């Protein structure tokens, strides 16, 4: 990893200019290779000032997650306490799957600085650039039948929405079943995958992807009309460690509430944060496309849709588009 050696050089000479010639000598690489390594670091979020005849100077390093900071901010008994931070991974879902099969406890959390194969629902690729977001997966071991899995998705959406509002002041809302939107643009996606045996859940893996400090210019062209970040919406760089801890704190509190009192209190919290209810929507289900007014959540967590004649239809899954 040549560019990491180069980074060490800049850190040892903080505030000073290093010439391309000096770097190429010390690292035994060509001047062209130096330029390539500088660009590689720029892609990772490092910023350099380049002045002719002086060289390069490191002026900004990207936010690096400190696991100790996360642990200091936790108020939980178990959620996030078993914390693994990885620099680069294909997917945090796969990392947690391995931990689950090795017997890791409920509440174990994997956070990645970068995901190369992050995925959303229905296998879609998820944009997760290095050090700009919160890309994490949590292991849950609920003592519930498999039919309860959709309720967990809704519970997690409530917890993340509350944490985002508390830490950033951004007015996020929930689109059924598992996206968080700000001003109609997506800021977070949630993916809950369950592994079951005899119709009971062995464990669930809750994947949470939040666009935190992504700049508007960094979003791919196809995402610019539909995606946003907490930094874009708040105008301020957000503290990712504080956000991760806040999500865990909210989530554990709601999870215990759910274990004790069932889905009803969660449903009321979800309805209060929803940007779906009361709106005209089109829902693409595996079987058909339906339009109507999103009226309520039922006791199972399904969406109740009223058609043109006011007839209710219950939808257990589907892609919702707000009219």
């Amino acid at each position: 990893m040549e560019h990491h050696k180069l980074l060490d050089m800049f850190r040892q000479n903080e505030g000073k200019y290093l010439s391309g010639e000096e770097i190429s000598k010390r690292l035994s690489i060509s001047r062209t290779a130096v330029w390539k390594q500088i660009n590689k670091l720029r892609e990772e979020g490092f910023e350099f000032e380049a002045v002719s005849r002086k060289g390069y100077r490191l002026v900004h390093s990207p936010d690096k997650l400190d696991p100790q900071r996360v642990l200091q901010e936790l108020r939980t008994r178990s959620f996030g306490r078993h914390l693994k931070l990885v620099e680069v991974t294909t997917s945090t879902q796969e990392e947690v799957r391995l931990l689950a099969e090795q017997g890791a406890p409920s509440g174990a959390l994997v956070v990645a600085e970068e995901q190369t194969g992050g995925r959303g629902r229905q296998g879609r690729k998820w944009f997760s650039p290095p050090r700009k977001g919160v890309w994490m997966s949590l292991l849950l071991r609920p003592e519930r039948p498999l039919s309860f899995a959709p309720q967990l998705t809704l519970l997690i959406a409530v917890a993340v929405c509350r944490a985002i509002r508390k830490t950033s002041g951004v007015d996020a809302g929930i689109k059924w079943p598992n996206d968080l939107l700000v001003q109609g643009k997506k800021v977070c996606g949630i993916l809950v995958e369950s592994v079951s045996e005899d119709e009971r859940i062995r464990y669930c893996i809750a994947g949470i992807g939040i666009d935190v400090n992504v700049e508007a210019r960094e979003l791919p062209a196809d995402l610019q009309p539909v995606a946003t970040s907490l930094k874009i919406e708040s105008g301020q760089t957000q503290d990712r460690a504080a956000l991760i801890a806040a999500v865990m704190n909210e989530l554990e509190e709601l999870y215990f509430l759910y274990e004790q009192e069932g889905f009803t209190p969660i449903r009321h919290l979800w309805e209060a944060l929803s940007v779906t209810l009361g709106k005209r929507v089109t829902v693409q289900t595996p079987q058909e496309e339906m339009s109507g007014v999103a009226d309520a959540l039922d006791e199972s967590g399904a969406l109740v849709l009223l058609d043109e004649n006011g007839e209710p239809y219950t939808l257990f899954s589907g892609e919702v588009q707000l009219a």
Side-chain angles (χ1 to χ4, degrees):
M1 302 286 276
E2 287 290 347
H3 62 293
H4 284 212
K5 288 184 194 164
L6 176 56
L7 188 55
D8 288 340
M9 270 182 75
F10 278 107
R11 284 183 168 150
Q12 286 156 15
N13 294 273
E14 202 176 331
K16 294 179 186 164
Y17 287 94
L18 294 176
S19 71
E21 188 180 355
E22 188 184 347
I23 297 167
S24 72
K25 268 188 194 161
R26 281 169 65 178
L27 293 184
S28 305
I29 56 176
S30 69
R31 294 288 290 274
T32 309
V34 169
W35 182 76
K36 280 184 179 165
Q37 301 301 349
I38 294 272
N39 280 347
K40 182 93 179 126
L41 287 168
R42 279 180 170 144
E43 281 170 22
E44 289 185 11
F46 293 89
E47 289 172 24
F48 294 90
E49 188 179 30
V51 177
S52 60
R53 292 196 295 282
K54 274 187 164 182
Y56 302 95
R57 184 166 71 99
L58 179 61
V59 290
H60 171 74
S61 297
D63 170 34
K64 190 167 170 52
L65 269 174
D66 177 0
Q68 284 309 116
R69 280 279 333 284
V70 177
L71 294 168
Q72 280 163 10
E73 302 260 346
L74 286 177
R75 299 190 313 272
T76 60
R77 277 185 271 171
S78 63
F79 283 28
R81 296 264 166 211
H82 188 103
L83 174 64
K84 180 182 178 186
L85 177 66
V86 293
E87 193 65 33
V88 182
T89 184
T90 311
S91 156
T92 54
Q93 293 291 91
E94 295 309 315
E95 296 268 351
V96 171
R97 192 183 305 283
L98 289 172
L99 289 179
E101 294 296 346
Q102 290 160 10
S106 186
L109 179 69
V110 174
V111 182
E113 285 286 24
E114 180 182 4
Q115 279 189 128
T116 55
R119 63 186 192 280
R121 286 175 75 225
Q122 298 169 344
R124 294 194 190 96
K125 190 157 170 21
W126 178 265
F127 174 65
S128 34
R131 299 196 174 132
K132 294 284 183 168
V134 164
W135 327 119
M136 62 183 178
S137 294
L138 179 74
L139 175 62
L140 297 170
R141 296 188 182 275
E143 298 286 321
R144 300 269 172 162
L146 187 57
S147 57
F148 283 79
Q151 295 182 352
L152 285 174
T153 302
L154 300 166
L155 183 156
I156 291 160
V158 171
V160 179
C161 194
R162 283 161 62 116
I164 283 174
R165 285 174 165 220
K166 279 183 182 173
T167 58
S168 70
V170 170
D171 197 19
I174 309 169
K175 184 183 91 164
W176 187 85
N178 59 350
D179 287 345
L180 299 190
L181 307 184
V182 183
Q183 310 283 350
K185 290 185 173 186
K186 184 168 171 175
V187 75
C188 168
I190 294 159
L191 175 70
V192 177
E193 295 178 302
S194 303
V195 175
S196 62
E197 208 168 80
D198 302 329
E199 285 306 300
R200 290 194 76 78
I201 299 171
R202 270 185 63 214
Y203 59 83
C204 290
I205 304 171
I208 300 165
I210 310 170
D211 286 322
V212 183
N213 291 322
V214 178
E215 310 268 0
R217 60 184 161 77
E218 293 172 319
L219 284 168
D222 60 326
L223 292 182
Q224 287 185 6
V226 293
T228 188
S229 75
L230 298 182
K231 183 173 184 179
I232 293 167
E233 297 301 327
S234 67
Q236 293 174 323
T237 300
Q238 299 295 323
D239 181 339
R240 292 184 301 145
L243 176 58
I244 291 166
V247 171
M248 291 299 109
N249 293 337
E250 292 286 335
L251 196 42
E252 187 175 272
E253 194 180 312
L254 292 181
Y255 191 72
F256 283 130
L257 179 68
Y258 176 62
E259 296 268 273
Q260 287 156 6
E261 298 184 33
F263 186 58
T264 303
I266 306 301
R267 185 177 67 151
H268 293 321
L269 291 169
W270 189 96
E271 286 174 339
L273 294 168
S274 166
V275 294
T276 311
L277 297 184
K279 300 270 174 42
R280 284 202 64 76
V281 296
T282 302
V283 185
Q284 186 71 52
T285 72
Q287 294 80 30
E288 59 184 327
E289 185 176 279
M290 295 188 67
S291 293
V293 174
D295 186 52
L297 273 191
D298 77 2
E299 264 305 321
S300 73
L303 185 67
V304 179
L305 198 69
L306 299 180
D307 71 6
E308 308 305 317
N309 305 315
E311 285 291 315
Y313 280 86
T314 303
L315 301 170
F316 293 94
S317 67
E319 285 289 307
V320 172
Q321 278 193 309
L322 302 174

